[in-house]
C-alpha cells in the first residue's frame, strides 16, 4: 500500500490526537498533519499533497444559548463547506466529515432505533448546523471528490469530555445507582480510530454509522466502571418511576437514561473495526 497523506483540521482535537496516536502503529503507511482552521491563514495552505482531509474542527458541545446560534452555523456549517471547497479545488480525493448522531435529535423515554430510512430531526442548532453541513458537502461531491460523512454516537475513552467522565465519577463515589432499563449506542475512541483508518485505506465514501458491537445500558456500564476501579456499586430500582417521568424534561436525565440506538445492521462494515468490547473499552479509558 502506498503511503496515505492525511490532513486533520482542528489542532489538538480529541479525535485527531487519538487517530494520530493510533496510526503511529504503521509509521510507513501514513503521513499525518494537523492544521488550525481558525481565522483566514489556513486558506493559503496547499492541500494538493494530501489524499484525505479529515474535518473534525467544530463546536462540539450542545448549547441552548440563542447568542451562540450564529457561531454554530458559522463554524459547524459554513467553515466545513469552505474547507471542503478548498480541498476540492486543490485536488484532494477524499473528504471525511465528523458529523453526529445528534442530527436525529435527543434520546427518548421509549426505545428508539435509527435505521437508514430514519429522517434526521435535529432538536437544536448544534444538530441543525451539522445536518446543513452534510447537505452542503453533498453538492460538492463528484467522481474526483469523494465525501464520507460519519455520524458517530457518543464517543468516549481516556481523557474524553462530556458525560462519560461524569459516569466514571459517579461509579467511583456512589454506593448505589439506578437499575434503569435503557439502550444507548456508544463508540469507544479505539473503535472509531480503526473505523477511520479503514475508510481512509479503502478511499470510501457515503454515510456511515459506526458504533460499538454492544448497546450500552447505563447502569451496566456504571457497574463495569466501578468493577474496573475496584469498587462495588449496588443497582437499585427505587427511583425508576421518577426517572422515567424526568426523561425529556431534564436534559442530564435524558442524556444518562434515555434511549437512542442505531440498528446494528447499518453499523457493519466490510472489515471489522469493533475491536474493543465494553469491558476492555472501560479498562482502556482509565
Amino acid at each position: 500500500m502506498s503511503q496515505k497523506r492525511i490532513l486533520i483540521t482542528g489542532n489538538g482535537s480529541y479525535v485527531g490526537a487519538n487517530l494520530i496516536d493510533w496510526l503511529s502503529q504503521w509509521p510507513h503507511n501514513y503521513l499525518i498533519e494537523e492544521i488550525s482552521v481558525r481565522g483566514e491563514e489556513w486558506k493559503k495552505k496547499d492541500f494538493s499533497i494530501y489524499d484525505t482531509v479529515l474535518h473534525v474542527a467544530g463546536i462540539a458541545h450542545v448549547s441552548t444559548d440563542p447568542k451562540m446560534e450564529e457561531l454554530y452555523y458559522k463554524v459547524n456549517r459554513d467553515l466545513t463547506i469552505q474547507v471542503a471547497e478548498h480541498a476540492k479545488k486543490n485536488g484532494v480525493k477524499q473528504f471525511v466529515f465528523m458529523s453526529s448522531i445528534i442530527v436525529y435529535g435527543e434520546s427518548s423515554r421509549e426505545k428508539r432505533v435509527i435505521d437508514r430510512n430514519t429522517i434526521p430531526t435535529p432538536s437544536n442548532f448544534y444538530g441543525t448546523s451539522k445536518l446543513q453541513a452534510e447537505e452542503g458537502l453533498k453538492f460538492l461531491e463528484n467522481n474526483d471528490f469523494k465525501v464520507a460523512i460519519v455520524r458517530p454516537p457518543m464517543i468516549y475513552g481516556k481523557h474524553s469530555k462530556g458525560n462519560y467522565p461524569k459516569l466514571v465519577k459517579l461509579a467511583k463515589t456512589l454506593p448505589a445507582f439506578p437499575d434503569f432499563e435503557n439502550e444507548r449506542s456508544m463508540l469507544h475512541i479505539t473503535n472509531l480510530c480503526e473505523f477511520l483508518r479503514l475508510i481512509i485505506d479503502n478511499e470510501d465514501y457515503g454515510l456511515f454509522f459506526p458504533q460499538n458491537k454492544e448497546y450500552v445500558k447505563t447502569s451496566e456500564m456504571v457497574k463495569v466502571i466501578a468493577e474496573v476501579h475496584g469498587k462495588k456499586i449496588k443497582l437499585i430500582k427505587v427511583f425508576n418511576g421518577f426517572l422515567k417521568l424526568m426523561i425529556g424534561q431534564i436534559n442530564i436525565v435524558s442524556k444518562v437514561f434515555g434511549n437512542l440506538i442505531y440498528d446494528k445492521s447499518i453499523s457493519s462494515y466490510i472489515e471489522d473495526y469493533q475491536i474493543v468490547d465494553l469491558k476492555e473499552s472501560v479498562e482502556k479509558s482509565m
Side-chain angles (χ1 to χ4, degrees):
M1 185 181 87
S2 60
Q3 189 180 55
K4 289 281 184 186
R5 300 178 72 100
I6 304 162
L7 181 66
I8 301 173
T9 64
N11 270 344
S13 68
Y14 184 67
V15 171
N18 276 276
L19 182 64
I20 290 168
D21 185 54
W22 183 249
L23 296 183
S24 67
Q25 298 173 82
W26 303 275
H28 302 296
N29 292 2
Y30 306 99
L31 192 148
I32 315 155
E33 286 183 58
E34 288 181 296
I35 185 175
S36 170
V37 285
R38 291 175 184 269
E40 303 292 313
E41 197 63 28
W42 66 269
K43 294 178 181 177
K44 298 174 187 173
K45 186 169 176 67
D46 180 11
F47 282 16
S48 67
I49 62 169
Y50 302 103
D51 303 295
T52 298
V53 170
L54 171 61
H55 185 64
V56 297
I59 307 174
H61 63 279
V62 176
S63 171
T64 53
D65 183 353
K67 293 175 189 166
M68 292 286 288
E69 185 168 3
E70 187 181 343
L71 185 62
Y72 270 74
Y73 288 112
K74 186 179 177 184
V75 174
N76 287 352
R77 179 193 62 196
D78 301 345
L79 180 62
T80 298
I81 294 164
Q82 287 166 17
V83 171
E85 285 172 340
H86 188 67
K88 182 178 180 178
K89 189 173 78 177
N90 281 222
V92 175
K93 295 285 191 289
Q94 184 192 41
F95 189 86
V96 181
F97 174 54
M98 290 296 295
S99 187
S100 170
I101 197 172
I102 201 74
V103 300
Y104 294 104
E106 301 295 340
S107 51
S108 64
R109 190 177 298 149
E110 307 306 324
K111 184 170 179 176
R112 186 160 176 232
V113 184
I114 294 163
D115 61 26
R116 281 201 179 273
N117 299 317
T118 304
I119 295 167
T121 50
S123 57
N124 52 47
F125 42 79
Y126 172 47
T128 305
S129 65
K130 284 286 191 182
L131 185 61
Q132 290 184 2
E134 289 184 15
E135 289 162 353
L137 291 175
K138 284 171 191 168
F139 282 109
L140 295 174
E141 188 170 29
N142 61 27
N143 288 336
D144 298 316
F145 185 70
K146 304 293 189 185
V147 175
I149 293 168
V150 183
R151 289 180 182 165
M154 185 179 116
I155 299 165
Y156 69 103
K158 194 170 186 176
H159 305 311
S160 62
K161 295 175 183 175
N163 290 318
Y164 183 75
K166 293 172 188 170
L167 286 180
V168 172
K169 197 172 180 181
L170 292 173
K172 288 164 73 173
T173 55
L174 292 178
F177 191 83
D179 187 6
F180 191 82
E181 292 297 326
N182 75 319
E183 284 185 319
R184 301 299 297 254
S185 286
M186 291 177 69
L187 182 60
H188 188 262
I189 189 66
T190 301
N191 291 337
L192 173 59
C193 288
E194 177 63 2
F195 177 77
L196 292 173
R197 183 181 79 84
L198 292 173
I199 65 169
I200 289 168
D201 279 359
N202 296 327
E203 299 173 6
D204 218 339
Y205 59 94
L207 191 54
F208 300 97
F209 312 87
Q211 64 176 328
N212 289 350
K213 202 166 281 183
E214 317 101 314
Y215 295 140
V216 172
K217 177 182 172 183
T218 305
S219 58
E220 286 299 326
M221 181 168 229
V222 168
K223 190 178 178 184
V224 171
I225 293 168
E227 286 171 358
V228 166
H229 284 87
K231 305 281 184 184
K232 277 197 173 180
I233 195 163
K234 190 176 181 183
L235 300 180
I236 55 174
K237 294 182 181 284
V238 67
F239 299 112
N240 286 9
F242 172 75
L243 289 171
K244 194 160 188 177
L245 288 173
M246 290 303 101
I247 295 172
Q249 308 296 320
I250 299 176
N251 196 29
I252 188 65
V253 177
S254 302
K255 283 183 174 176
V256 174
F257 296 106
N259 292 277
L260 189 62
I261 59 174
Y262 282 136
D263 185 285
K264 287 183 179 177
S265 66
I266 67 171
S267 297
S268 61
Y269 191 61
I270 50 174
E271 294 174 75
D272 183 25
Y273 65 91
Q274 297 164 321
I275 54 178
V276 175
D277 65 19
L278 180 62
K279 186 161 191 279
E280 192 181 350
S281 78
V282 171
E283 290 168 348
K284 278 179 166 285
S285 303
M286 286 177 71

